[in-house]
């Protein structure tokens, strides 16, 4: 990895998003100005430390890259092996999903009158694409690796510490809701001031 290319990109993103959130912007502003910041971060795939890119053979990995001490936001790398996907789930906070490597497919799910969930139209995200989720618009979906033969990685930014937030997964047939807290796969986070 070329250190002159990778040094400081995540730190720059964290600083810029922190300054934006200090202004207490509306969600619409976060999804325009914040989205542009995330697009800049994922424009070149040369900065994510290798230890936060490792897939697990059975299930996707969620690596914490940064958590704001005031719980305003968190930055997470999601690493998907071939065929891996989430259950139907929600977030309860705003989120931006930036595709760094490979491709992911996101499918919104909608509760029907009888309680079951039906899928909406899926969207495939290539590298550089940023998608959003929000309780104010639509917050329930499934995400999966769209590549059958390689790992896909996305950088997620949420309006809270997503690994500590009580969220829900849903049974598609019965609509039953089950609470969960995702946590993180890593026990240490990257040193933003000394990328290696």
């Amino acid at each position: 990895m070329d250190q002159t290319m990778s040094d400081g990109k995540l730190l720059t993103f964290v600083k810029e998003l922190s300054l934006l959130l200090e202004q207490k912007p509306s969600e619409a502003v976060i999804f325009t100005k914040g989205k542009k910041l995330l697009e800049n971060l994922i424009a070149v795939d040369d900065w994510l430390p290798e230890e936060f890119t490792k897939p697990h053979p059975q299930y996707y990995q969620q690596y914490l890259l940064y958590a704001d001490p005031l719980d305003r936001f968190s930055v997470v790398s999601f690493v998907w092996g071939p065929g891996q996907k989430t259950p139907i789930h929600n977030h309860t906070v705003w989120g931006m999903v930036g595709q760094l490597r490979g491709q992911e497919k996101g499918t919104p799910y909608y509760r029907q009158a009888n309680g079951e969930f039906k899928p909406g139209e899926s969207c495939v995200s290539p590298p550089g694409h940023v998608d959003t989720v929000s309780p104010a618009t639509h917050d329930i979906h499934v995400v999966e690796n769209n590549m059958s033969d390689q790992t896909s990685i996305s950088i997620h930014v949420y309006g809270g510490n997503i690994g500590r937030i009580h969220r829900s997964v849903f049974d598609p047939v019965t609509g039953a809701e089950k609470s969960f807290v995702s946590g993180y796969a890593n026990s240490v986070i990257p040193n933003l001031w000394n990328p290696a």
Side-chain angles (χ1 to χ4, degrees), residues 101-167:
R101 193 176 300 172
Q103 290 183 351
E104 291 169 19
K105 182 167 73 172
T107 305
Y109 274 77
Y110 300 93
R111 190 185 293 274
Q112 307 299 300
N114 64 359
E116 70 179 332
F117 280 88
K118 293 286 189 185
E121 187 174 343
S122 297
C123 174
V124 174
S125 296
H129 181 265
V130 175
D131 200 4
T132 60
V133 293
S134 168
T137 52
H138 191 71
D139 192 39
I140 299 174
H141 70 174
V142 167
V143 180
E144 60 192 293
N145 188 349
N146 198 50
M147 311 294 287
S148 62
D149 58 351
Q150 70 180 65
T151 298
S152 291
I153 299 175
S154 52
I155 305 301
H156 296 215
V157 183
Y158 294 103
N161 188 336
I162 198 66
R164 297 176 54 197
I165 293 173
H166 287 267
R167 303 189 282 147

Side-chain angles (χ1 to χ4, degrees), residues 24-182:
K24 301 192 183 332
S26 67
E27 194 170 278
V29 170
I30 293 170
F31 284 170
T32 53
K33 293 184 177 180
K35 184 177 179 181
K36 184 64 178 165
L37 296 177
L38 183 55
E39 287 171 347
N40 291 340
L41 177 64
I42 63 171
V44 180
D45 179 9
D46 68 352
W47 57 269
L48 184 63
E50 185 181 347
E51 58 264 39
F52 307 107
T53 67
K54 296 181 185 299
H56 185 280
Q58 293 175 301
Y59 42 83
Y60 69 92
Q61 296 289 78
Q62 184 172 318
Y63 296 104
L64 177 65
L65 301 179
Y66 179 79
D68 176 69
L70 301 179
D71 274 351
R72 295 174 300 176
F73 72 100
S74 55
V75 185
V76 183
S77 69
F78 276 67
V79 182
W80 313 81
Q84 293 176 352
K85 64 189 290 186
T86 68
I88 301 173
H89 67 282
N90 68 2
H91 309 86
T92 76
V93 294
W94 61 259
M96 299 184 289
V97 179
Q99 196 65 36
L100 185 68
R101 193 176 300 172
Q103 290 183 351
E104 291 169 19
K105 182 167 73 172
T107 305
Y109 274 77
Y110 300 93
R111 190 185 293 274
Q112 307 299 300
N114 64 359
E116 70 179 332
F117 280 88
K118 293 286 189 185
E121 187 174 343
S122 297
C123 174
V124 174
S125 296
H129 181 265
V130 175
D131 200 4
T132 60
V133 293
S134 168
T137 52
H138 191 71
D139 192 39
I140 299 174
H141 70 174
V142 167
V143 180
E144 60 192 293
N145 188 349
N146 198 50
M147 311 294 287
S148 62
D149 58 351
Q150 70 180 65
T151 298
S152 291
I153 299 175
S154 52
I155 305 301
H156 296 215
V157 183
Y158 294 103
N161 188 336
I162 198 66
R164 297 176 54 197
I165 293 173
H166 287 267
R167 303 189 282 147
S168 297
V169 293
F170 303 91
D171 183 292
V173 176
T174 67
E177 186 172 338
K178 181 180 175 185
S179 180
F180 79 103
V181 176
S182 64

